[in-house]
Amino acid sequence: MTAQEVVAPHPYSRPWSDDPFAEAMRTGNGPLWLRRDDGHRHPLEVERWCAPPDPADWTLLFRCLHRGQPTLDIGCGPGRLIAALQTCGLLALGVDVTRSAVLRARGMGGSALCRSVFDRLPGEGRWGTALLADGNLGIGGDPAALLRRVAELLAPDGQLMIEVERGDLDERITVAVEDAAGRSGPAFPWARLGARATVDCAVGAGFALTDAWTCQGRHFLALRR
């Protein structure tokens, strides 16, 4: 092998777990972006995720509290939602693949596991409510597969609350997490869906739309099995 053929190893090996996002979860600071393979970037709101819940978050949390059912936060990040629910006395659990995010969630008083939603999880088929906030419908780049998995996790008549993108959007893209210094992690599949595309996917996974609302420029759906 010649010197020209030697390929330097990527400084990060796993998306979300070993990349600039994991570092940001340790510090609580951005800025970070999802850089698409076409060069466009979507900001990641690290500081908001590491702060206490805002009024838009509380539109989700109040609905969870009103239902009073055990709640699973998928892709919980630093845990602001599960910590708030548990402070209010509701049984809640977060799951996230980023260890530093899970540690931060636990430090905020939330219960969280460092696992993928596609791993074996506690209480499968018995969760009353599930959350996919902060763009987490994009997990895995295959919303239909993700929604089928969530249906397996929920109890009969369980409810899923999703934050969706603004507008009539339906994208499957390849992205990498990038920081302000231009360092990026490995590329991985992601998805961005607006309300219409989300409902179409959800119906195929056995869900029905029960509510839709907007707060502070963020858009949410409630779906029932």
Side-chain angles (χ1 to χ4, degrees), residues 72-77 93-97 102 112-113 115-117 121:
L72 181 67
D73 185 5
I74 299 164
C76 67
L93 176 69
V95 293
D96 201 287
V97 297
V102 168
L113 295 176
R115 296 186 194 176
S116 164
V117 63
L121 296 176

Side-chain angles (χ1 to χ4, degrees), residues 6 13 19 30 34 40 48 54 73 93 96-97 108 131 138 156 159 188 205 209:
V6 174
S13 60
D19 67 3
L34 287 180
H40 289 88
R48 179 174 68 79
D54 63 19
D73 185 5
L93 176 69
D96 201 287
V97 297
M108 293 179 65
L131 299 177
Q159 187 171 86
F188 57 92
L209 179 67

Side-chain angles (χ1 to χ4, degrees), residues 160-178:
L160 169 61
M161 287 185 270
I162 308 180
E163 183 172 357
V164 299
E165 301 291 338
R166 182 183 298 113
D168 193 13
L169 197 64
D170 189 359
E171 295 183 328
R172 310 296 186 275
I173 54 179
T174 300
V175 298
V177 178
E178 183 179 81

Side-chain angles (χ1 to χ4, degrees), residues 11-224:
Y12 302 107
S13 60
R14 296 173 299 166
W16 303 115
S17 300
D18 180 25
D19 67 3
F21 182 77
E23 296 178 16
M25 290 296 96
R26 284 189 285 270
T27 65
N29 297 309
L32 290 181
W33 297 267
L34 287 180
R35 178 177 283 279
R36 302 161 56 119
D37 53 6
D38 63 9
H40 289 88
R41 299 194 304 182
H42 303 290
L44 298 176
E45 298 181 83
V46 173
E47 286 83 0
R48 179 174 68 79
W49 298 341
C50 291
D54 63 19
D57 293 328
W58 277 107
T59 67
L60 284 174
L61 297 172
F62 284 137
R63 284 168 169 80
C64 293
L65 294 168
H66 178 73
R67 283 181 56 77
Q69 298 294 314
T71 298
L72 181 67
D73 185 5
I74 299 164
C76 67
R80 73 189 189 284
L81 301 180
I82 52 169
L85 290 173
Q86 290 183 289
T87 297
C88 293
L90 190 68
L91 176 64
L93 176 69
V95 293
D96 201 287
V97 297
T98 305
R99 180 168 176 76
S100 55
V102 168
L103 293 175
R104 194 177 190 95
R106 292 173 180 171
M108 293 179 65
S111 298
L113 295 176
C114 190
R115 296 186 194 176
S116 164
V117 63
F118 295 103
D119 291 338
R120 186 71 180 171
L121 296 176
E124 295 202 11
R126 301 197 301 274
W127 292 98
T129 305
L131 299 177
L132 283 168
D134 303 325
N136 283 326
L137 182 58
I139 290 172
D142 186 345
L146 177 60
L147 290 170
R148 289 193 297 269
R149 174 57 175 150
V150 175
E152 294 174 351
L153 295 169
L154 284 170
D157 203 37
Q159 187 171 86
L160 169 61
M161 287 185 270
I162 308 180
E163 183 172 357
V164 299
E165 301 291 338
R166 182 183 298 113
D168 193 13
L169 197 64
D170 189 359
E171 295 183 328
R172 310 296 186 275
I173 54 179
T174 300
V175 298
V177 178
E178 183 179 81
D179 66 14
R183 296 175 299 178
S184 63
F188 57 92
W190 197 247
R192 302 176 72 238
L193 275 66
R196 182 182 303 178
T198 300
V199 171
D200 288 345
C201 271
V203 168
F207 289 97
L209 179 67
T210 60
D211 195 9
W213 70 97
T214 300
C215 184
Q216 294 186 326
R218 294 166 60 193
H219 302 266
F220 304 93
L221 303 176
L223 303 150
R224 191 180 299 274

